[in-house]
Amino acid sequence: LKGVTVRFWHPFTDDTAAQMRQIADTFNSENEYGIRVEAFSIGASGALDERFSEAMLQDGEPPTLVAGPLILLHHWEEEDWLIPAAGYMSFPEWQWNPGDVDEFVLSQHQTSDGQQISLPINWYASVIFYNQTWAQELNLNRTPGDLLTFEAQACAAKDALLNDDNIENDGTGGYIINREANTLLSWLAVFGYDSIPTEETVPYDFSTPEAEEAFTALWELSNAGCAWESRVPSPYDYFAERNAIFYAGSTRDIFWQERAMQNAGSTDEWAVMPYPSTNGQSPLLVDGSGAAIVATTPEEQLASWFFLQTLLEARNQALIAIASSSMPVRESAWEWLTVQAEAHPQWA
């Protein structure tokens, strides 16, 4: 493997891209085989998919290791562009025990028959952001774990701003409308919708009683003025300035919200919580990114496998989690995150 180059393509930018380069540089200086890793940030998942497809279909120089969201990894596997990780995980000389890698997150990188195609790098959860201090000032002392309480608190916040002396905030206060896919899927899950097809040949069907109930509830919340349209794509400032008591986001939004609270001079206590429940169970939609070995030469594949293991080491998992505002996929990574957790209680 001496002199073999691993071309690692990924969609990460900013701090996460810098962290990937740092992990690659450390691996280059420390690995015993003489392997060299070159990490390339393609910029976005769509651009990565386009460039990777071109490289595989037009005899270009493809990556040897590629990272991306789950949906792309499964798509690339169906195109036979990836080498399953399962073979390397079980081979006696190079076998790797996932150990304390979260079993559920690991299972999302498997085919329907349980074959491990890729390995997770990080994960996010779709959550609701909630201003606890403002709720308490409105005499709302119960965390809205059920839908009726959620609706009542959204409407109470709307009424509070409607009845204050500032006419510019009229029409705000409750829940900021969000039409992102993971948000809508989370709301569908609140009402028991579970009809996402597992095969490409099966069409999507949202004309179910559960879906109708979900969209009716959201429409009624909006029609009552308790859910409102934001004029800007980012909810952080609205939340920090008490123009919204709730908004739907991801755990990756936590650090951005912290900065917005600091910039606004807000001392409000706030939390991230699961979506409200209609049946005693609060849904938590999990999504994330992983990495897979590309079908290239045996030497490049093996070298890529060694670097992929490095990305899942506990310390590197902690560094990736910090850089990407995500959660580590390995339990032992939390040992490296004690200071981070103390500084960011909502993320913890």
Side-chain angles (χ1 to χ4, degrees), residues 165-333:
D165 295 330
N166 182 7
I167 62 172
E168 294 184 0
N169 62 20
D170 290 359
T172 68
Y175 166 75
I176 300 178
I177 293 172
N178 183 322
R179 296 184 177 87
E180 292 183 0
N182 282 1
T183 299
L184 291 177
L185 187 57
S186 295
W187 279 116
L188 288 167
V190 167
F191 291 86
Y193 178 87
D194 190 23
S195 301
I196 298 296
T198 57
E199 300 177 7
E200 286 193 356
T201 55
V202 179
Y204 286 85
D205 180 15
F206 295 104
S207 58
T208 67
E210 294 84 4
E212 181 178 353
E213 192 176 0
F215 285 117
T216 298
L218 291 173
W219 180 85
E220 290 177 345
L221 195 67
S222 175
N223 193 48
C226 306
W228 57 282
E229 295 274 4
S230 171
R231 292 187 295 272
V232 296
S234 167
Y236 311 128
D237 291 339
Y238 280 128
F239 186 78
E241 295 167 3
R242 291 193 179 184
N243 287 116
I245 197 168
F246 298 114
Y247 75 84
S250 160
T251 44
R252 77 180 78 190
D253 294 311
I254 292 174
F255 294 168
W256 291 106
Q257 189 58 59
E258 288 179 345
R259 295 171 191 173
M261 302 298 276
Q262 293 170 359
N263 292 338
S266 173
T267 58
D268 286 353
E269 292 186 4
W270 54 281
V272 293
M273 51 175 258
Y275 279 69
S277 170
T278 58
N279 58 6
Q281 295 182 334
S282 300
L284 192 66
L285 181 66
V286 174
D287 198 3
S289 300
I293 303 167
V294 181
T296 53
T297 68
E299 293 81 6
E300 289 174 331
Q301 290 170 188
L302 182 57
S304 297
W305 168 243
F306 287 142
F307 181 64
L308 178 52
Q309 291 181 59
T310 298
L311 290 175
L312 270 79
E313 290 176 358
R315 182 175 182 274
N316 288 334
Q317 274 292 293
L319 292 172
I320 292 170
I322 293 171
S324 60
S325 304
S326 63
M327 303 296 173
V329 302
R330 184 180 291 281
E331 184 71 21
S332 53

Side-chain angles (χ1 to χ4, degrees), residues 14-15 45 93 129 135 190 194 199 279 289 315 336 344:
D14 301 327
D15 292 348
S45 298
E93 287 187 62
F129 286 70
V190 167
D194 190 23
E199 300 177 7
N279 58 6
S289 300
R315 182 175 182 274
W336 297 86
H344 307 281

Side-chain angles (χ1 to χ4, degrees), residues 45-63:
S45 298
L48 174 62
D49 186 30
E50 183 176 350
R51 283 193 58 180
F52 184 43
S53 299
E54 289 176 355
M56 297 302 290
L57 295 172
Q58 300 178 12
D59 296 325
E61 185 176 62

